[in-house]
Amino acid sequence: MTIQDRSPESDIPGKPTSASRTTLSHIMTGSDTNLLGTVHGGVIMKLVDDVAGAVAGRHSGGPAVTASMDEMAFLEPVRVGDLVHVKAQVNWTGRSSMEVGVRVLAERWNESTPAVQVGSAYLVFAAVDENGKPRRVPQVLPETEKDRQRYQEAQIRRTHRLARRRAIMELREKRATEGVED
């Protein structure tokens, strides 16, 4: 696979994956807990969305909004006192959209043990202009073999998202023509 420095229909120079890669770290406190005494999944999801938004804004050079969140996986519980690191990077870009991959790691704040992966997610962001309309984004330029793998996997996820959306719309149209109400 060859990825060019510029998209054929744009004068926007591409950006390497490392240009917008970001880590957000946060210590979990008692106000972050759910009824089971572990950190609420919604708190983790907000951190994921925050760091992914920062990455998308950095890559696109301006505002970007969350279009979807795919495959949010919680692998291990997060506890009060854990230092959570949320790492994100742009995996793939389209005309105005970007897939951002996020890994969530946790470690005890007062121990020197290695951080453990506790979650992961993929989000799609759309770059918007001052009127909220889509705007072009620079093509992402994978730098490592792992970056190239993420790029290819993101293309597969995009194909599946579009196919799922198309199948749902076709089903809704069919039900509407048959007079079936939702």
Side-chain angles (χ1 to χ4, degrees):
M1 170 183 59
T2 303
I3 300 171
Q4 302 168 344
D5 286 343
R6 295 178 187 269
S7 315
E9 62 272 346
S10 173
D11 287 337
I12 302 172
K15 285 187 177 179
T17 308
S18 62
S20 57
R21 192 176 285 139
T22 300
T23 300
L24 172 69
S25 297
H26 188 78
I27 293 180
M28 298 292 108
T29 66
S31 64
D32 298 320
T33 60
N34 59 26
L35 296 174
L36 298 175
T38 56
V39 173
H40 194 288
V43 171
I44 301 298
M45 290 173 74
K46 180 172 183 342
L47 294 173
V48 164
D49 190 45
D50 286 348
V51 74
V55 165
R58 280 182 168 185
H59 182 83
S60 68
V65 296
T66 310
S68 69
M69 178 184 271
D70 290 353
E71 302 179 36
M72 181 70 212
F74 298 100
L75 307 172
E76 298 283 337
V78 177
R79 302 171 293 165
V80 170
D82 281 353
L83 177 57
V84 172
H85 308 285
V86 189
K87 299 175 176 261
Q89 72 174 48
V90 173
N91 291 334
W92 175 89
T93 52
R95 181 187 161 109
S96 62
S97 63
M98 300 158 275
E99 183 196 88
V100 178
V102 181
R103 286 185 339 131
V104 183
L105 306 159
E107 61 181 307
R108 295 305 292 169
W109 68 273
N110 60 347
E111 296 174 9
S112 60
T113 56
V116 174
Q117 185 171 353
V118 296
S120 65
Y122 298 101
L123 295 87
V124 176
F125 279 78
V128 294
D129 64 17
E130 61 279 351
N131 299 314
K133 302 294 182 200
R135 63 181 175 79
R136 292 198 61 78
V137 298
Q139 183 177 14
V140 68
L141 305 173
E143 298 170 279
T144 67
E145 189 53 42
K146 188 69 175 170
D147 291 342
R148 284 184 278 285
Q149 176 185 335
R150 288 179 177 134
Y151 185 92
Q152 291 171 329
E153 291 172 358
Q155 289 177 308
I156 293 168
R157 283 188 291 276
R158 180 177 187 273
T159 299
H160 287 201
R161 277 191 296 273
L162 294 174
R164 183 178 62 229
R165 182 181 305 147
R166 191 170 36 258
I168 290 169
M169 295 308 291
E170 288 171 1
L171 178 62
R172 287 179 182 172
E173 288 173 16
K174 180 180 181 226
R175 292 175 59 84
T177 59
E178 294 172 350
V180 179
E181 291 186 31
D182 289 331

